[in-house]
């Protein structure tokens, strides 16, 4: 696939199809062009693509395929044109579709799929994470903060062999669960730079945060994903009453609602496909045409407004055609009727608006796009890699690494009535999720990459800005923790270039991470300087003061233990305990000494990572 994509699709893809040959899919290759089939399974002599490549006639120009690259294509043809799906032809979903299953049963099925894949690839999976590693990971993933010392101690000392599944259940019932997932989806929806109000130039940060809170309330109430989606896509009115109104302005242009901007965002977030290239031309790497892009955009062509309001006139649904604008260059002025991505056309006009018709099609259990898009995106959330990766690029030239598992997850999600908590409960109870991220000594980078991308170990991830901030707030007992730079002379705050009025926004700007790859460590000098120098992080905080006050007779070892449990969610090792005791012996004020230990713990790499 990489060789064909890189060397062939420029002339035989969506933009150009020389000789009427389209090489974007295997069926198209088998059909061929003017000169007949491009490839024939196990038959080099009748595979014209191979003849042109072997003779260096293709690709055109100076750059030719190397001998090794040619051999890859030759082997592929000789072996019968195997695809990823064919290589796993006997691997069907372990559970029957169209029925909801017990989470533990789904978790076991997930593990069976992954373990079979690892065995076939001759990859040894990483062992199970110990209780401390699992504890901290599940708290950060489900609640967006580390556990308190008391929560950590209770879990680590429990002898209940069902304590992991019980903890998952309790965290899903916590209000922090919805808050974390609401922030996560807010960040997935919001563009890197929010649009500005044309009148005052203000950006809708507060409104975006309110949208995250709106999502949080629905996640906590366990409203189904289809109903949440429906409330977003069919909203009407002003943002003061309905925070989800902001969605249309965020994905439009300049804060204004645009049909194509909405279609592009809906495709990525709710359908799991990329349509941006098809705005101006047929996509050279995917099977989406320019007409399909604008047929999808037609469903939103009557919507007007900005990030403060959204309106769509009722009725007139039969006249739903959209005109391809001049900005699309190709085929400008062409009228395109609304049509769904599965090829079906809008035939029923019972709905009041085009959006309602589209949403009704989108959230059907039978829709092949909707359930799998959510399932794949949430898998990415926990594992930093989608089963289809990138997560919004479902297509034949980008197949699922585990197609049967992808089908199992989407089937289960749809059969459950798009039950979000049920889906997450299934994933988190799997051994696949509960594997360690620790790397054994001597393991090569190549072996580590293979093991991690095959989901044979948990990747080492960086805390998002939100999870870091919520954890620090809890550890320091300060729900309004402000880590902006402080001018000690007059108490004013200042950033590197200009004052910022919102401590939360400033923190997000400084500690923001790579949303597309949470394993990418983006922190540097500005982040380090904040963590090691800010006076509020050197002070010890209210939580430490409260613990010392309520436990006046606590031994030094107990306080050190509390500090480790509060930050790293584990007990100190013998060497760490000895080191802390030696440090405290040199400090006259024990309270300042404890604050120093706390400061050292939040500055450890172990703290900043989700392991």
């Amino acid at each position: 696939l990489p060789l064909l994509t890189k060397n062939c699709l420029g002339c035989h893809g969506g933009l150009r199809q020389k000789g009427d040959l389209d090489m974007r899919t295997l069926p198209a290759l088998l059909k061929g062009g003017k000169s007949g089939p491009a490839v024939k399974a196990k038959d080099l002599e009748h595979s014209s693509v191979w003849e042109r490549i072997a003779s260096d006639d293709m690709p055109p120009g100076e750059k030719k395929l190397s001998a090794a690259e040619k051999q890859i294509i030759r082997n592929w043809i000789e072996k019968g044109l195997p695809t990823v799906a064919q290589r796993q032809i006997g691997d069907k979903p372990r559970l029957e579709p169209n029925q909801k299953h017990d989470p533990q049963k789904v978790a076991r099925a997930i593990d069976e799929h992954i373990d079979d894949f690892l065995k076939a690839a001759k990859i040894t999976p990483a062992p199970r994470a110990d209780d401390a590693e699992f504890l901290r990971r599940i708290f950060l993933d489900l609640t967006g903060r580390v556990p308190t010392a008391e929560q950590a101690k209770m879990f680590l000392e429990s002898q209940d062999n069902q304590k992991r599944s019980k903890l998952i259940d309790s965290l899903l019932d916590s209000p922090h669960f919805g808050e974390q997932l609401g922030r996560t989806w807010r960040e997935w929806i919001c563009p890197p730079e929010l649009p500005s109000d044309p009148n005052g130039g203000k950006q809708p940060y507060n409104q975006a945060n309110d949208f995250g809170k709106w999502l949080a309330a629905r996640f906590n109430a366990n409203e189904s994903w289809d109903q949440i989606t429906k409330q977003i896509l069919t909203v009407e009115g002003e943002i003061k009453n309905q925070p989800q109104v902001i969605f249309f302005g965020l994905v439009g242009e300049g804060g204004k609602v645009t049909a194509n901007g909405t279609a592009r965002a809906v495709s990525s977030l709710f359908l799991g496909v990329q349509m941006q290239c098809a705005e101006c031309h047929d996509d050279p790497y995917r099977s989406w045409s320019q007409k399909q892009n604008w047929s999808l955009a037609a469903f939103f062509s009557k919507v007007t407004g900005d990030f403060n309001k959204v309106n769509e006139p009722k009725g007139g649904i039969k006249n739903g055609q959209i005109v391809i604008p001049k900005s699309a260059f190709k085929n400008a002025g062409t009228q395109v009727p609304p049509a769904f991505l599965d090829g079906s056309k809008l035939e029923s006009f019972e709905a009041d608006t085009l959006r309602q018709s589209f949403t009704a099609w989108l959230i059907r259990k039978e829709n092949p796009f909707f359930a799998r898009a959510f399932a794949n995106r949430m898998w990415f959330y926990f594992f930093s890699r989608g089963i289809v990766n990138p997560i919004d690029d479902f297509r034949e030239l980008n197949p699922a690494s585990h197609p049967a598992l992808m089908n199992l997850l989407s089937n289960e999600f749809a059969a459950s009535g798009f039950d979000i908590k049920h889906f997450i409960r299934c994933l988190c109870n799997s051994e696949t999720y509960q594997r360690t991220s620790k790397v054994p000594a001597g393991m090569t980078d190549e072996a580590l990459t293979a093991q991690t991308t095959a989901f044979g170990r948990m990747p080492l991830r960086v805390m998002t800005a939100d999870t870091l901030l919520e954890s620090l707030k809890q550890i320091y007992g300060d729900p309004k923790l402000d880590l902006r730079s402080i001018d000690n002379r007059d108490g004013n705050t200042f950033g590197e270039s200009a004052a910022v009025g919102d401590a939360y926004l400033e923190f997000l700007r400084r500690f923001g991470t790579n949303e597309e790859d949470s394993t990418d460590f983006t922190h540097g000098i500005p982040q380090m300087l904040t963590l090691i120098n800010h006076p509020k992080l050197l002070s010890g905080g209210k939580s430490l003061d409260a613990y010392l006050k309520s436990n006046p007779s606590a031994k030094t070892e107990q306080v050190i233990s509390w500090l480790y449990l509060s930050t790293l969610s584990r007990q100190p090792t013998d060497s760490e305990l000895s080191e802390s005791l030696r440090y405290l012996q040199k400090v006259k004020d024990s309270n300042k000494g404890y604050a120093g230990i706390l400061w050292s713990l939040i500055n450890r790499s172990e703290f900043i990572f989700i392991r």
Side-chain angles (χ1 to χ4, degrees), residues 47-63:
S47 295
S48 59
V49 162
W50 169 249
E51 293 178 0
R52 304 291 295 275
I53 290 174
S55 64
D56 283 335
D57 188 29
M58 290 292 170
E62 297 181 1
K63 189 175 181 181

Side-chain angles (χ1 to χ4, degrees), residues 477-495:
D478 185 356
K480 296 182 179 180
L481 185 64
D482 185 349
L483 295 184
R484 292 173 292 178
S485 300
I486 305 294
D487 187 335
N488 291 324
R489 292 169 297 180
D490 55 16
N492 290 328
T493 60
F494 59 92

Side-chain angles (χ1 to χ4, degrees), residues 93 95-101 407 411-412 415:
L95 300 176
E96 293 297 320
N98 303 319
Q99 58 178 309
K100 182 179 178 180
H101 300 88
N407 289 336
N411 288 343
E412 184 67 26

Side-chain angles (χ1 to χ4, degrees), residues 112-221:
E112 289 173 5
H113 280 291
I114 296 296
D115 290 346
D116 285 352
F117 183 95
L118 294 170
K119 184 178 180 180
K122 298 180 180 179
I123 297 173
T124 302
R128 198 182 206 219
D130 62 26
D131 282 347
E133 185 179 3
F134 168 79
L135 169 71
R136 196 167 189 272
R137 178 192 303 164
I138 198 70
F139 260 88
L140 287 167
D141 282 347
L142 295 189
T143 70
R145 67 200 68 208
V146 297
T148 64
E150 292 71 26
Q151 289 170 326
K153 190 172 187 294
M154 181 182 298
F155 178 83
L156 295 176
E157 293 179 353
S158 172
Q159 299 300 312
D160 187 347
N161 59 9
Q162 300 296 320
K163 66 181 182 179
R164 293 195 180 194
S165 61
K166 290 180 179 178
L167 177 61
I168 292 168
D169 289 342
S170 67
L171 296 184
L172 288 172
D173 288 337
S174 164
H176 297 319
F177 163 73
E179 293 168 6
Q180 171 64 6
L181 200 56
R183 288 189 296 259
T184 299
W185 272 93
R186 179 201 70 197
E187 291 302 299
W188 282 339
I189 292 171
C190 287
E193 185 68 22
L194 295 185
S196 299
D197 184 336
N199 295 322
K202 293 183 179 179
Q203 294 172 293
Y205 290 109
N206 291 333
Q207 294 92 327
N209 289 338
D210 288 341
F211 180 37
K213 294 174 183 177
W214 178 87
L215 287 167
R218 273 133 196 88
F219 291 139
N220 277 330

